[in-house]
């Protein structure tokens, strides 16, 4: 190591007390993290690309510094879905430091990785106070039955008003209106459940009906409309 002449001419002063890094909460304990391998936790984060055309929600489950599980969810950009496919292969098996410095193809996914890295290394993980953390597979459970991301898609104009297109329950097929043409409910089909039934041999039309449901005061509607066509 090279030192400048100014440093060489200085006298030595003993460094003061150093208690090491501040402990952070990790999986039900307080840990002084000195190495990447000391990092544990499951958490979520959101990233966005420079033009803000799309966003990524990333979930990582880290054990002993290694990413054991990754859930990559994207919205708003068709190209991001292919980037997410690549990221799902790239992330597992890497340390969080490697993942931070790896090109994850899409800027939104890269930003999400940055945000997760900050959360995890500062002890802000979702599992910080869960003793022993969460098992590998916990990220997948966030998707629920049918293994589909929870997605909300709404559209509205001043001239024609709102259109509910996708809710937490699923794909909206009809919205219910009262006598004032205000929305009072909707009918939906849970596509995950429907496809599970179709894969088991159920007739698609029957499967669609079985996977359908309503929300709100749908039965009291003066009229219903298809939000995509009417």
């Amino acid at each position: 190591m090279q030192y400048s002449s100014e440093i060489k001419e200085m006298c030595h002063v003993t460094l003061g007390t150093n208690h090491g890094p501040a402990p952070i909460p990790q999986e039900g304990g307080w840990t002084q993290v000195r190495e990447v391998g000391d990092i544990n936790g499951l958490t979520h984060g959101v990233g966005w690309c420079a033009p803000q055309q799309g966003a990524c929600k990333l979930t990582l489950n880290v054990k002993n510094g290694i990413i054991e599980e990754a859930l990559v969810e994207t919205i708003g950009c068709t190209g991001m879905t292919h980037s997410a496919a690549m990221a799902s292969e790239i992330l597992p098996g890497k340390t969080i430091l490697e993942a931070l410095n790896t090109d994850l193809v899409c800027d939104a996914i890269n930003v999400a990785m940055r945000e997760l890295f900050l959360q995890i290394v500062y002890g802000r993980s979702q599992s910080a106070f869960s003793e022993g953390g969460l098992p590998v597979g916990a990220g997948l459970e966030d998707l629920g039955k049918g293994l589909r991301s929870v997605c909300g898609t709404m559209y509205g104009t001043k001239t024609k008003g709102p259109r509910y297109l996708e809710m937490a329950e699923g794909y909206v097929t009809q919205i219910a209106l009262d006598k004032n043409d205000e929305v009072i409910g909707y009918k939906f089909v849970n596509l995950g459940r429907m496809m599970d039934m179709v894969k088991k041999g159920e007739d698609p039309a029957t499967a669609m009906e079985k996977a359908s449901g309503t929300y709100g005061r749908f039965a009291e509607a003066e009229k219903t409309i298809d939000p995509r066509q009417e």
Side-chain angles (χ1 to χ4, degrees), residues 12-18:
H12 178 267
V13 177
T14 301
L15 296 172
T17 302
N18 182 2

Side-chain angles (χ1 to χ4, degrees), residues 153-197:
T153 308
M154 314 298 156
Y155 179 74
T157 60
K158 181 181 177 181
T159 303
K160 299 296 183 178
R163 296 294 186 278
Y164 298 177
L165 303 174
E166 186 106 12
M167 301 292 278
E169 297 87 353
Y171 178 98
V172 177
T173 56
Q174 297 178 55
I175 55 177
L177 306 180
D178 65 10
K179 62 182 179 181
N180 298 317
D181 287 336
E182 293 184 73
V183 179
I184 58 171
Y186 52 87
K187 184 175 183 179
F188 62 88
V189 56
N190 185 310
L191 293 177
R193 287 181 54 209
M194 174 184 166
M195 289 308 299
D196 284 344
M197 286 186 273

Side-chain angles (χ1 to χ4, degrees), residues 41-120:
L42 180 142
T43 199
H44 319 271
V46 176
W48 55 94
C49 59
Q52 299 190 31
Q53 180 181 350
C56 167
K57 178 194 171 190
L58 181 62
T59 304
L60 299 180
N61 198 350
V62 180
K63 301 291 185 184
N64 301 316
I66 304 293
I67 296 171
E68 295 288 348
E69 176 184 19
L71 172 63
V72 190
E73 302 173 86
T74 64
I75 188 170
C77 173
T78 53
M80 291 174 69
T81 61
H82 296 79
S83 300
M86 297 175 71
S88 70
E89 296 185 40
I90 293 169
L91 287 168
K94 281 187 165 53
T95 68
I96 58 169
L97 186 58
E98 286 178 305
L100 182 69
N101 289 289
T102 297
D103 181 10
L104 299 175
V105 189
C106 167
D107 198 26
I109 305 175
N110 286 320
V111 172
M113 182 63 228
R114 180 194 73 194
E115 295 301 306
L116 259 70
F117 181 88
L118 293 173
Q119 288 182 37
I120 295 169

Side-chain angles (χ1 to χ4, degrees), residues 1 3 14 22 26 54 60 63 129 135 140 155 178 202 204 206 221:
M1 186 180 295
Y3 294 93
T14 301
Q26 285 196 132
L60 299 180
K63 301 291 185 184
F129 299 102
L140 198 62
Y155 179 74
D178 65 10
E202 191 82 66
T206 304

Side-chain angles (χ1 to χ4, degrees), residues 193-216:
R193 287 181 54 209
M194 174 184 166
M195 289 308 299
D196 284 344
M197 286 186 273
V198 170
K199 285 186 290 184
K200 291 178 181 178
E202 191 82 66
D203 174 71
T206 304
M208 181 174 174
E209 189 57 37
K210 287 182 177 180
S212 294
T214 62
Y215 185 87

